[in-house]
Amino acid sequence: GENVEQHPSTLSVQEGDSAVIKCTYSDSASNYFPWYKQELGKGPQLIIDIRSNVGEKKDQRIAVTLNKTAKHFSLHITETQPEDSAVYFCAASKRGGGADGLTFGKGTHLIIQP
Amino acid sequence: NAGVTQTPKFQVLKTGQSMTLQCAQDMNHNSMYWYRQDPGMGLRLIYYSASEGTTDKGEVPNGYNVSRLNKREFSLRLESAAPSQTSVYFCASKAGLYSGANVLTFGAGSRLTVL
């Protein structure tokens, strides 16, 4: 089955700086890579996703890049703000979800220092 | 508001007690999931239901049972709770197992403590 590794487990950055979270996956058949943000006391919520036919996708201050050859993908947050503080999860799956849907990384706790 | 609703939000059990976590979604989604979240372990799939009338084991099914009561509701039962089942449980749903979109919508979570 799929295995997703996520680094770092904790990331502290100064407000206004950029943050990068990296993930690798093991199954070359995976072709859907979402990122979820979990705020304290809430369930995870999708913030951006990318499919294997695209190398990069942006949405305002958030971008995701994908390198299928190396089997890794990254989340980039620019001009970080206090509300970006949360736990971020990457995930991977085959198109259509497969039997078990998404395989998640273990999460990155992003701390934005004022 | 449309979404996934879980009850209860908090529960404390003694070892050996049983309980059921309830989950309902009003988005007409076909597939529903139960995950557990533990520190440093991320989200691990317990059971899922691809469609009404079907259920399948995920990564960590031992000690749990599920029931897909109808298209809206998917419950998780602990028959004899153990301290190792202390966790935060999340229910999630998505449009379909083989739909083009894999977007999971999560509930707010149920925090369970087993003493």
Side-chain angles (χ1 to χ4, degrees), chain B residues 53-72:
Chain B
T54 69
T55 60
D56 284 284
K57 295 178 180 179
E59 180 185 355
V60 289
N62 291 345
Y64 305 95
N65 286 302
V66 290
S67 296
R68 184 72 182 268
L69 304 171
N70 48 55
K71 190 171 185 178
R72 291 185 62 249

Side-chain angles (χ1 to χ4, degrees), chain A:
Chain A
E2 176 65 274
N3 182 50
V4 177
E5 299 283 342
Q6 182 173 348
H7 300 279
S9 57
T10 303
L11 178 60
S12 181
V13 301
Q14 291 292 322
E15 182 178 348
D17 289 349
S18 296
V20 180
I21 302 170
K22 299 180 179 181
C23 290
T24 60
Y25 61 99
S26 61
D27 190 343
S28 58
S30 289
N31 52 20
Y32 174 69
F33 308 94
W35 287 88
Y36 284 78
K37 175 183 180 182
Q38 184 180 26
E39 297 177 342
L40 192 63
K42 297 183 179 180
Q45 188 170 17
L46 179 75
I47 55 171
I48 194 168
D49 57 11
I50 190 169
R51 300 187 184 275
S52 59
N53 58 345
V54 175
E56 183 176 5
K57 183 177 179 181
K58 291 183 180 180
D59 183 3
Q60 300 182 338
R61 296 186 296 109
I62 294 173
V64 57
T65 59
L66 171 65
N67 183 328
K68 284 214 71 178
T69 302
K71 290 191 283 188
H72 67 70
F73 56 112
S74 300
L75 178 71
H76 305 253
I77 305 174
T78 59
E79 301 175 7
T80 53
Q81 299 172 3
E83 55 264 36
D84 295 328
S85 292
V87 178
Y88 292 81
F89 293 97
C90 63
S93 79
K94 300 177 181 64
R95 180 163 296 173
D100 59 357
L102 297 172
T103 300
F104 287 89
K106 293 183 178 181
T108 295
H109 185 194
L110 176 62
I111 301 166
I112 308 301
Q113 302 279 6

Side-chain angles (χ1 to χ4, degrees), chain B residues 36-50:
Chain B
R36 62 177 288 174
Q37 183 178 26
D38 303 291
M41 299 298 292
L43 293 156
R44 294 183 293 169
L45 183 66
I46 304 171
Y47 270 93
Y48 70 98
S49 171

